[in-house]
Each structure stands twice: as structure tokens, then as C-alpha cells.
Amino acid sequence: KQEVTQIPAALSVPEGENLVLNCSFTDSAIYNLQWFRQDPGKGLTSLLLIQSSQREQTSGRLNASLDKSSGRSTLYIAASQPGDSATYLCAVDYKLSFGAGTTVTVRA
Amino acid sequence: NAGVTQTPKFQVLKTGQSMTLQCAQDMNHEYMSWYRQDPGMGLRLIHYSVGAGITDQGEVPNGYNVSRSTTEDFPLRLLSAAPSQTSVYFCASSTKGRYYEQYFGPGTRLTVT
């Protein structure tokens, strides 16, 4: 059974600092990994999808890397803004095994 | 496109009552799924479907039924609600295959008293 872990559970940074969010998974035989954002009381918004053959994906200030051999993915958010405050979730494969998320607070 | 829609947004049930959570998508996605989200436990897969007429169980299927008669709709039925089913329920969809991005609905917040 795939286990997905996200550390830390919570993170608070001043505005402008770069964010580094970690996701680890136990079974490296994955097809893809997806990063989501969830605002309080809302649904999940897809940020980036990395296929197993890819090492990274970029969208604007967001960059996600994938290292299947070590079972790790990292989401980088450059020059954080207060609007980036949310919970970030990673999930593996089409039946989506989710981590518990990292709650980010960006202080103005 | 409306994307993935869910109704109702909120629901309160008494123990033993039954109800159906509705999920629809207008993107012609073959794959649809239901998750529940509980504090401290993340999202867990309840049931999923890879196409009309085909459904399968996820990690936590007990107490829930699904059917998929059309590509667009994937309702989730609670046969006899229990307090342990108090949760936020999300529906998701994607094109068929292992590599495609999944899209989520806004969720249904269910309370069972």
C-alpha cells in the first residue's frame, strides 16, 4: 500500500521568502504525482502534474521536482505572497494516495 | 464548461437515514472517483469508476454504494448514515489513463447526528 508523507505539517514564512514543501512516498513504481492547493472550506485546485518519466514541471512561480528512485517530490514556490497561504497536498497515481498536506502561512 | 459539480453543498442527516450525493462533469472524462476528507487523515478514496457501467472499491468503501449509468454522472449513496460518515466528500474526474490530471469538485459537507 502506497504511503505518502508530507513534512512539515505547517510552515510560516515572511512575504518574499521562497517556500520548499516536501512529499515522500514509499512505492517508487508510480505513474504520476500531482500537487494541489486547498483553501479553507474549499475544494482542491490542481497546481502541477509530473509524469513518472519527467524530473520536474514548472508553472509561473511554482516548480515541482520528482525523484522516483528516492521516493521524493519537492514543490518550490518562489517569492511567496500572502495569497499563497493555503494547504498544499501531494497525491500519487490515478487512484490518488494523498499526503496529509502542509499548511502554509505567508506573513505580510 | 462547469467542470465538476457537486450537490448539495451542505447536508445534515440523522443516524439511519439514507441519501445520495450528486456528482456531474461536463468534460467527457471517463474516470471519476469519490473521496472523503477528515481532519488529520487527509483524503481517502471511497469508490471509483473507469467508465460507464464499471465501478470499483477504494480504500474506505464500507457504507457507500455507487453506480455509473452515464459518462457524466457518478452519484454516491449512503444507505444508512452513521456518525462516522460525518466528513467532507469530494468528487474528481480525469480522462482515462494513468497520466492525466485530475479535477475536483467543490465538495459536500455532511454531518450525521
Side-chain angles (χ1 to χ4, degrees):
Chain A
K1 179 180 180 291
Q2 179 74 268
E3 301 287 344
V4 181
T5 304
Q6 292 186 249
I7 295 173
L11 188 59
S12 178
V13 299
E15 183 177 3
E17 191 164 302
N18 296 333
L19 286 163
V20 180
L21 307 180
N22 297 303
C23 172
S24 61
F25 46 94
T26 54
D27 185 350
S28 62
I30 67 169
Y31 292 95
N32 60 46
L33 185 145
Q34 196 167 352
W35 281 95
F36 295 89
R37 169 186 171 133
Q38 186 175 31
D39 294 293
K42 302 294 186 184
L44 280 70
T45 300
S46 178
L47 297 174
L48 290 167
L49 172 74
I50 311 177
Q51 296 179 11
S52 60
S53 57
Q54 299 173 317
R55 297 283 300 201
E56 65 177 334
Q57 276 281 10
T58 297
S59 176
R61 294 184 295 112
L62 276 59
N63 174 275
S65 66
L66 175 64
D67 184 343
K68 278 181 54 178
S69 61
S70 66
R72 292 183 183 179
S73 177
T74 302
L75 178 67
Y76 301 90
I77 304 177
S80 62
Q81 305 167 358
D84 294 328
S85 298
T87 296
Y88 292 83
L89 299 152
C90 69
V92 175
D93 279 343
Y94 75 105
K95 286 198 280 186
L96 289 183
S97 297
F98 274 89
T102 296
T103 298
V104 171
T105 303
V106 180
R107 307 186 303 272
Chain B
N1 282 353
V4 181
T5 59
Q6 292 183 239
T7 56
K9 287 188 178 5
F10 302 94
Q11 183 70 48
V12 179
L13 290 178
K14 294 187 189 309
T15 297
Q17 287 184 319
S18 63
M19 79 158 295
T20 300
L21 307 185
Q22 301 292 343
C23 174
Q25 51 88 13
D26 61 359
M27 298 174 281
N28 202 32
H29 284 171
E30 298 94 338
Y31 183 81
M32 296 184 73
S33 53
W34 278 101
Y35 295 83
R36 59 178 290 172
Q37 184 175 34
D38 302 294
M41 301 198 68
L43 282 90
R44 294 178 291 168
L45 181 64
I46 305 171
H47 284 286
Y48 65 98
S49 168
V50 297
I54 307 169
T55 64
D56 205 347
Q57 296 181 350
E59 182 184 352
V60 288
N62 292 342
Y64 308 95
N65 273 2
V66 292
S67 61
R68 183 102 179 265
S69 56
T70 67
T71 300
E72 295 78 21
D73 301 297
F74 191 42
L76 179 71
R77 283 184 288 278
L78 282 71
L79 303 176
S80 178
S84 61
Q85 294 178 304
T86 293
S87 188
V88 181
Y89 291 85
F90 290 100
C91 179
S93 75
S94 76
T95 53
K96 200 170 184 177
R98 300 180 187 276
Y99 296 103
Y100 289 97
E101 191 170 7
Q102 297 211 29
Y103 298 90
F104 278 73
T108 293
R109 187 173 295 273
L110 176 68
T111 302
V112 182
T113 62

